[in-house]
Amino acid sequence: DNARDRLYKVDNTAFSAIYDGDSWAENTPEKVFDGTAAFWQTETIEEFPVVLKVDLGKVYGIKEMTYKPRQSEDCHGAWGLVSVYVSTDGETWEAAAVGVKMPINKDIKKITFDKEIDVRFMEIEIEEAHAKRVSCCEIEFYQSKEAYDKSHIVTKEKYELKIGSNVIT
């Protein structure tokens, strides 16, 4: 079944991202989830890695992530070497992808995990980047049909209020 094999984009409108260093101008980390051509970029980096911390707001099953570099002609800040660490509680971390090499160009890059992993928190360690800066236009996450269906379960609850009573059951 084609729908079963397909990956589904996770709605990233509630996601947040932070970077503990200085961002260049108004190009702050939350722009990686704003769905526009805006981008995040660091000031000049003297020492790597640079860590982008992401909070998905709740736990999702994630199979793949994509990274869209800043679309500058010189590929300023494009990631060259990346590792991804994930957690469901922010305290226990698992390596999801280590030492992923990426070509320095404007193409969207894809990291597919060996298995679907449960993630709420993610630390993306950029270990090498072009021109001593790190930048990113957009990050997206994808999940399997099964994980998508699981994260979109709607529970129906029934409440009852009896006339003359102050109690709802």
Side-chain angles (χ1 to χ4, degrees):
D1 178 21
N2 197 8
R4 200 52 60 209
D5 297 333
R6 173 178 161 219
L7 294 180
Y8 295 78
K9 183 178 178 242
V10 179
D11 177 13
N12 63 7
T13 55
F15 296 176
S16 64
I18 59 171
Y19 162 60
D20 291 337
D22 294 325
S23 294
W24 178 63
E26 300 297 316
N27 303 301
T28 53
E30 65 273 3
K31 299 209 170 143
V32 302
F33 296 121
D34 71 358
T36 71
F39 60 92
W40 160 62
Q41 182 169 299
T42 66
E43 289 288 358
T44 300
I45 301 298
E46 296 300 329
E47 191 173 318
F48 283 86
V50 165
V51 179
L52 181 65
K53 297 176 183 178
V54 175
D55 182 355
L56 306 182
K58 69 177 189 174
V59 176
Y60 291 92
I62 302 291
K63 178 64 179 163
E64 186 174 275
M65 69 175 275
T66 60
Y67 146 69
K68 180 179 181 181
R70 177 181 170 199
Q71 298 297 288
S72 64
E73 287 305 314
D74 64 357
C75 298
H76 206 81
W79 305 355
L81 185 65
V82 179
S83 293
V84 178
Y85 300 90
V86 298
S87 174
T88 56
D89 61 10
E91 297 191 20
T92 306
W93 293 87
E94 171 186 351
V98 177
V100 177
K101 287 201 136 310
M102 297 183 171
I104 303 298
N105 58 39
K106 295 189 299 183
D107 297 342
I108 294 174
K109 313 299 186 285
K110 184 187 307 183
I111 298 174
T112 302
F113 304 115
D114 292 337
K115 60 180 176 150
E116 193 144 42
I117 49 178
D118 288 336
V119 180
R120 169 159 179 193
F121 302 99
M122 182 176 283
E123 289 189 352
I124 303 169
E125 289 188 2
I126 300 95
E127 300 163 56
E128 294 174 9
H130 185 60
K132 289 186 146 185
R133 289 186 186 245
V134 172
S135 64
C136 176
C137 189
E138 196 74 23
I139 296 174
E140 295 180 338
F141 299 101
Y142 294 86
Q143 58 188 177
S144 67
K145 172 81 170 127
E146 182 180 38
Y148 178 85
D149 288 346
K150 184 178 174 184
S151 67
H152 288 82
I153 293 173
V154 177
T155 58
K156 295 181 180 181
E157 296 179 11
K158 183 177 178 181
Y159 297 92
E160 185 176 308
L161 173 63
K162 292 184 180 181
I163 296 176
S165 172
N166 292 332
V167 178
I168 298 175
T169 57

